[in-house]
Amino acid sequence: GNSVTQMEGPVTLSEEAFLTINCTYTATGYPSLFWYVQYPGEGLQLLLKATKADDKGSNKGFEATYRKETTSFHLEKGSVQVSDSAVYFCALTTDTGRRALTFGSGTRLQVQP
Amino acid sequence: DGGITQSPKYLFRKEGQNVTLSCEQNLNHDAMYWYRQDPGQGLRLIYYSQIVNDFQKGDIAEGYSVSREKKESFPLTVTSAQKNPTAFYLCASSILFARLEGTDTQYFGPGTRLTVL
């Protein structure tokens, strides 16, 4: 089956610090990989995605590279802001069957001024 | 303005009651999904539908029911058989077989928070 493992939070950083949130996965078939962000009391927003090996997804200064050899999709940002404080979810889907997302447990990021 | 709407934003249920959560999308998406989120956890799939008048159980379907009579709508009923229904419920939708995107990207509504009194 499919599974996603994320580093546990909370992750607490000072403004302008470098961010890494680790994500590894197991999947049958050829997964597409996603990062979603959730602000308090809201639904999930798509942050970035990658559909094949070595693809790099990027958005709003965040990046993640699909590494098939290490089955990883780590999220990075060079300089975080207070407004980046949220919960980040790594997820995958495959192109067969039910096509639903399999999620990691989420990582809470707290950025202090 | 295209998107996914969920209502109500907050819902309170008494023991033994059935309640229905609404999910509507005007994105012309084929597939719709219901997920449940518990504090500090990821999302778990309740039900999904890839075509009108058809739906399938997800990983935690017990105590829930759905219908898909229209492409735009996928309501979720939380029945009295669901023993621990207090949670945040999220609806999502996607195109199927989105070749130009390379994958079927799911987009989420704002969620409904259900509390059992």
Side-chain angles (χ1 to χ4, degrees):
Chain A
N2 299 335
S3 69
V4 176
T5 303
Q6 283 182 244
M7 62 188 290
E8 291 196 14
V11 173
T12 303
L13 297 173
S14 298
E15 209 165 19
E16 299 183 2
F18 184 86
L19 169 71
T20 300
I21 300 178
N22 290 338
C23 171
T24 57
Y25 66 89
T26 59
T28 54
Y30 300 95
S32 295
L33 303 172
F34 303 83
W35 278 100
Y36 284 87
V37 58
Q38 184 178 37
Y39 298 99
E42 298 185 9
L44 272 66
Q45 299 178 24
L46 177 67
L47 182 58
L48 53 84
K49 66 182 179 184
T51 61
K52 61 184 186 295
D54 299 325
D55 269 2
K56 178 186 284 188
S58 61
N59 186 27
K60 300 181 182 179
F62 291 90
E63 294 183 339
T65 301
Y66 187 157
R67 301 285 188 200
K68 187 177 178 182
E69 63 275 13
T70 54
T71 61
S72 65
F73 193 54
H74 305 321
L75 182 68
E76 297 181 335
K77 187 175 185 183
S79 176
V80 294
Q81 306 299 314
V82 172
S83 57
D84 294 327
S85 298
V87 179
Y88 293 81
F89 290 94
C90 185
L92 68 82
T93 188
T94 53
D95 58 358
T96 58
R98 64 188 195 182
R99 298 171 181 271
L101 288 162
T102 298
F103 285 91
S105 57
T107 302
R108 180 175 300 278
L109 170 65
Q110 299 173 337
V111 180
Q112 298 176 337
Chain B
D1 193 19
I4 304 172
T5 57
Q6 291 187 242
S7 61
K9 187 173 177 64
Y10 299 97
L11 185 57
F12 298 92
R13 192 193 92 168
K14 294 181 180 179
E15 295 275 356
Q17 274 185 338
N18 292 354
V19 291
T20 297
L21 284 59
S22 168
C23 177
E24 304 277 334
Q25 54 97 2
N26 60 4
L27 301 169
N28 199 31
H29 283 176
D30 308 293
M32 297 186 75
Y33 306 82
W34 275 105
Y35 295 90
R36 170 180 170 141
Q37 184 179 23
D38 292 286
Q41 297 186 33
L43 281 67
R44 294 180 290 168
L45 181 68
I46 305 172
Y47 267 98
Y48 66 101
S49 169
Q50 296 183 342
I51 193 170
V52 174
N53 292 322
D54 186 58
F55 48 82
Q56 305 297 326
K57 292 182 179 179
D59 300 320
I60 55 166
E62 185 175 353
Y64 300 97
S65 66
V66 293
S67 62
R68 186 88 186 274
E69 297 178 1
K70 299 185 298 181
K71 189 175 184 179
E72 306 80 31
S73 178
F74 191 42
L76 174 74
T77 296
V78 184
T79 75
S80 56
Q82 169 49 238
K83 298 305 179 189
N84 185 21
T86 295
F88 191 46
Y89 291 87
L90 288 155
C91 179
S93 69
S94 71
I95 298 173
L96 283 180
F97 312 114
R99 293 185 181 85
L100 288 180
E101 288 191 27
T103 187
D104 300 341
T105 302
Q106 290 187 26
Y107 297 91
F108 285 80
T112 293
R113 186 166 299 281
L114 173 63
T115 303
V116 174
L117 301 175

